[in-house]
Amino acid sequence: ILNVEQSPQSLHVQEGDSTNFTCSFPSSNFYALHWYRWETAKSPEALFVMTLNGDEKKKGRISATLNTKEGYSYLYIKGSQPEDSATYLCAFWGNTGKLIFGQGTTLQVKP
Amino acid sequence: NAGVTQTPKFQVLKTGQSMTLQCAQDMNHNSMYWYRQDPGMGLRLIYYSASEGTTDKGEVPNGYNVSRLNKREFSLRLESAAPSQTSVYFCASSSSPGRGPYNEQFFGPGTRLTVL
């Protein structure tokens, strides 16, 4: 059984705070690691697809890093805004040929 | 482009009833997927179709059947609904299966199903 774990499960921060959360995945048979943002009453939308050890991706105030050897990825949000409130999902693609999703980290940013 | 569309958005069934969830994409994607989302759990793959004419089981296929009608459409059928199938169902699609890991998935708006 492949486990993809995300921590923390939920997070409350004040507007302007920077925050980060973790995705842990199997360190063997790695093909790709996906990050999705899922806002309430909407569909999940892709943030990043990461494929190389040491990869770093950035989109505005959101960035992600990848360590495939130890099996983790960090998602960082700099200067959180209320519109960043969402559930952030990571998903691991290994040798099963399909994405395995973590349970998500729910972020609430208070104005 | 509408992206990925799903019908219906909401449905209530009685135990034992059957129904089909419809999904269509207009992005010319080869791969299509059906997931279910339950509280406290990640998205779990029910079935997927890597290309027109092929379907494969995911993590939780029991109680479901699928049809890849053509490149655009991928339907999910519950033959005899059970309360354990109460969930939110998402359809998704992505580009060529040969580059499957490296392409993001695009999700539909979801179908909220309740089985009484």
Side-chain angles (χ1 to χ4, degrees), chain B residues 3-18:
Chain B
V4 180
T5 56
Q6 291 182 235
T7 55
K9 289 187 177 177
F10 302 94
Q11 184 71 47
V12 178
L13 293 177
K14 294 181 180 178
T15 297
Q17 288 185 315
S18 62

Side-chain angles (χ1 to χ4, degrees), chain A residues 4-67:
Chain A
V4 179
E5 301 287 340
Q6 291 188 247
S7 61
Q9 193 171 351
S10 64
L11 198 54
H12 292 77
V13 302
Q14 290 294 135
E15 182 176 354
D17 288 350
S18 293
T19 187
N20 66 85
F21 18 95
T22 307
C23 173
S24 301
F25 52 87
S27 57
S28 59
N29 300 307
F30 177 88
Y31 284 81
L33 194 283
H34 295 214
W35 281 101
Y36 290 83
R37 176 166 59 196
W38 190 0
E39 295 179 64
T40 302
K42 294 188 178 180
S43 319
E45 291 185 351
L47 285 171
F48 307 115
V49 178
M50 309 179 79
T51 58
L52 298 174
N53 185 44
D55 211 1
E56 292 188 23
K57 299 270 187 181
K58 188 174 181 182
K59 186 181 287 189
R61 294 178 291 97
I62 302 177
S63 60
T65 60
L66 179 67
N67 184 324

Side-chain angles (χ1 to χ4, degrees), chain B residues 75-87:
Chain B
S75 62
L76 179 72
R77 182 159 179 84
L78 287 70
E79 290 291 350
S80 179
S84 60
Q85 294 178 303
T86 294
S87 188

Side-chain angles (χ1 to χ4, degrees), chain A residues 32 34 36 38 43 46 51 98 102, chain B residues 42 45 90 101-105 108:
Chain A
H34 295 214
Y36 290 83
W38 190 0
S43 319
T51 58
K98 335 180 230 303
Chain B
L45 184 66
F90 286 96
Y102 312 120
N103 293 96
E104 63 187 280
Q105 294 190 4

